[in-house]
Amino acid sequence: MRERQVSRGARRAREFEAFVAGAAGRLLHAATLLTAEAPDDNPRARRLLTLALAHTYACWDRLRGEDPYDRTRRHLATRFAREAWHRRGGPGRTRRRPPGTLASLAPQERLVVVLRLYEGVAEEQAAALLGLPADRVRVLCDRAIAALTHPAGRPAPAVRGTEVASS
């Protein structure tokens, strides 16, 4: 009996190590995008990924045909959303803005952009994962894309060749 448990534990460890070897890079990149940290200095993203992988490993035997990447991504997203909710500062509480392109977005917008555009999660799946209506996910994604493509404070490009001749 003991030998069977040891053998099952070793098989479980090998399967999980193979999964991590194949998926950790992409998951770390997604976590880095979520936290809006620099790719070479991302302690929050690494912590987020470590916790998501630990959760996946803990329920590895109960996956029963479920995609471990999807499970880890879901846990990564929900954990980020929960931490972002708890980190919201009240009036007078200042927070350091992380550097990066996505740093200008609100955490919920960042989460929707990463899920929809980087991970390719369908709108309905993202809505179910976040507990939001699909219309809200669409609006958040559209607003985030607009903020990224037309940042406030950046002047509109000048139009040339349309000078009006004065008479």
Side-chain angles (χ1 to χ4, degrees):
M1 177 79 167
R2 175 84 175 126
E3 292 173 8
R4 191 179 330 158
Q5 287 177 337
V6 170
S7 149
R8 189 178 327 141
R11 180 181 48 81
R12 175 184 186 201
R14 281 192 310 270
E15 289 174 355
F16 185 74
E17 286 174 10
F19 163 68
V20 170
R26 184 166 172 89
L27 287 167
L28 178 61
H29 189 70
T32 303
L33 290 173
L34 287 173
T35 59
E37 296 175 309
D40 54 341
D41 184 28
N42 53 3
R44 283 184 56 219
R46 290 180 183 280
R47 180 180 176 277
L48 195 63
L49 177 60
T50 301
L51 293 170
L53 287 172
H55 179 267
T56 302
Y57 184 73
C59 61
W60 190 260
D61 291 334
R62 292 174 279 149
L63 289 177
R64 302 186 203 282
E66 185 181 348
D67 182 17
Y69 184 86
D70 186 48
R71 180 71 166 260
T72 307
R73 180 182 58 213
R74 278 196 327 251
H75 190 72
L76 188 74
T78 55
R79 186 158 200 91
F80 172 76
R82 189 171 42 242
E83 285 181 7
W85 175 258
H86 289 292
R87 284 180 181 258
R88 286 180 69 181
R93 186 171 169 193
T94 59
R95 291 172 291 171
R96 185 176 64 87
R97 271 202 114 106
T101 306
L102 299 181
S104 63
L105 300 178
Q108 195 174 38
E109 292 172 339
R110 218 177 315 152
L111 180 57
V112 169
V113 165
V114 170
L115 285 175
R116 293 279 297 124
L117 302 180
Y118 180 72
E119 287 292 324
V121 175
E123 191 172 279
E124 294 79 21
Q125 287 177 317
L129 174 65
L130 301 175
L132 298 170
D135 291 341
R136 179 72 177 143
V137 170
R138 186 178 314 112
V139 167
L140 284 168
C141 192
D142 291 345
R143 184 187 311 153
I145 291 170
L148 290 172
T149 55
H150 305 292
R154 190 171 114 194
V159 179
R160 296 186 181 192
T162 58
E163 299 170 355
V164 178
S166 57
S167 322

